[in-house]
Amino acid sequence: PAVRGLSASLAYRADIRDNDTKVDTFTQVVMDSYVGGVVRNEPLSWARHTVSGTLHFRLDAARRFAGGVEYERYDRDYGADPSTDEYRVWGQLRSRLDFGELKIRLEYGDREGSNLEPAVPHGAPQNPLMRWFDVADRERQAATVALMLFPRSAFDLTLRGEVARSDFADSRIGRTKRLKRGYGVELGASPADNVSLFAYALRSMDASDQRNSQAFGAPDWKGQTDDDYATLGAGLRVIGLRKNLDLELDLTFSDAESGISLTVPGADAGIPDIENERFMARLGADYQVDDRFSLNLGLVYESLRRRSWQLDGVSVDTVPGFLSLGVDEPDHDVVAVTLSATYEL
């Protein structure tokens, strides 16, 4: 018999790519020196099959549960033709509160790979212990929480948080661990019927560990990367500022920092951080000439500042045996004006 408030669904998806790009061989070049042997281009083809089942259960008018299982088979036709089988399970709770809504989601995934040994046909050999992180055996757990508050009819506040951990326990060379965390707050307000305001602050942190070998054998050094991203934004929308005239303003600031540290036998090495700062302001105005014809005027300003050890102070021939393009950091200040017209038939 049917269970009141319970529904189920079953889905199948197929994503198949057959790449017929012509395969050719090329003489391999490493550090401006020709080396023996040749390499060939590898057309990327794959077949991805996914089967998923989902259950939804409404406990009462305020609380809803959902859960599902998913199986994915992913066959790749490049390198050593690696294939992966991944099983995923997830559960979710949505609960309406007197002052808002709460959403909690938990996920678990387990991936197993085959034919993972790296292969470069006709080219330089690869360490057989290396595992590409996107096909390596992996166990992943994730949790997401969102709390939406509506203390007043013209005001809303959303708090978000997430954490995801991935372990690559069987990878001796390559990525061994990843931890991703993030949180944020979003605000919205409507002080008048024709005016809306919004603001947000978001932060994301992504850390991973990897191991490698100097002697083309067992791992003898490790590295850690820590990426930290922060974004602030605010905006204003005014409908009918003047007759047939709408106005919008968007402000965005982002700051990103990436740190790399190495643990090498006999010495610990640190690499300078990579930093990016970006600011953008956009002012737009829409004027409705008549029922079918409208004009849009936009003014955009963007500023980008980047500091990177890969390019700072590196000219065309700074590195022995290596020629670069001598590219500078893409710092810029840009002002753009746009004008567009729309006519509805």
Side-chain angles (χ1 to χ4, degrees), residues 152-266:
R152 296 183 180 180
S153 59
F155 179 79
D156 62 86
L157 170 66
T158 301
L159 305 174
R160 303 182 186 275
E162 64 176 356
V163 60
R165 178 187 174 95
S166 299
D167 291 294
F168 304 81
D170 295 330
S171 294
R172 298 188 61 193
I173 298 292
R175 179 181 290 176
T176 58
K177 186 185 303 181
R178 183 185 185 188
L179 179 62
K180 187 175 182 179
R181 296 163 293 162
Y183 57 86
V185 57
E186 302 171 21
L187 301 170
S190 299
D193 292 340
N194 66 327
V195 179
S196 61
L197 305 169
F198 71 88
Y200 58 88
L202 307 172
R203 187 181 180 188
S204 177
M205 295 157 286
D206 194 345
S208 63
D209 296 347
Q210 69 174 32
R211 292 182 295 196
N212 214 320
S213 173
Q214 302 179 85
F216 202 76
D220 54 17
W221 67 269
K222 63 180 181 179
Q224 297 85 33
T225 62
D226 289 285
D227 299 325
D228 196 338
Y229 311 94
T231 304
L232 301 174
L236 167 70
R237 303 283 188 275
V238 181
I239 307 297
L241 178 65
R242 294 287 181 88
K243 184 179 179 180
N244 300 335
L245 179 63
D246 302 335
L247 185 70
E248 60 180 0
L249 174 66
D250 289 321
L251 303 174
T252 305
F253 173 78
S254 62
D255 180 79
E257 184 174 312
S258 180
I260 303 174
S261 61
L262 303 176
T263 302
V264 184

Side-chain angles (χ1 to χ4, degrees), residues 229 255-258 273-278 303-312 327-332:
Y229 311 94
D255 180 79
E257 184 174 312
S258 180
D273 292 345
I274 301 173
E275 298 180 17
N276 293 273
E277 290 184 359
R278 177 176 175 267
S303 172
L304 176 66
R305 297 292 180 266
R306 176 178 167 89
R307 291 174 291 279
S308 173
W309 58 270
Q310 301 107 315
L311 297 178
D312 291 340
V327 179
D328 294 327
E329 290 296 348
D331 294 354
H332 63 244

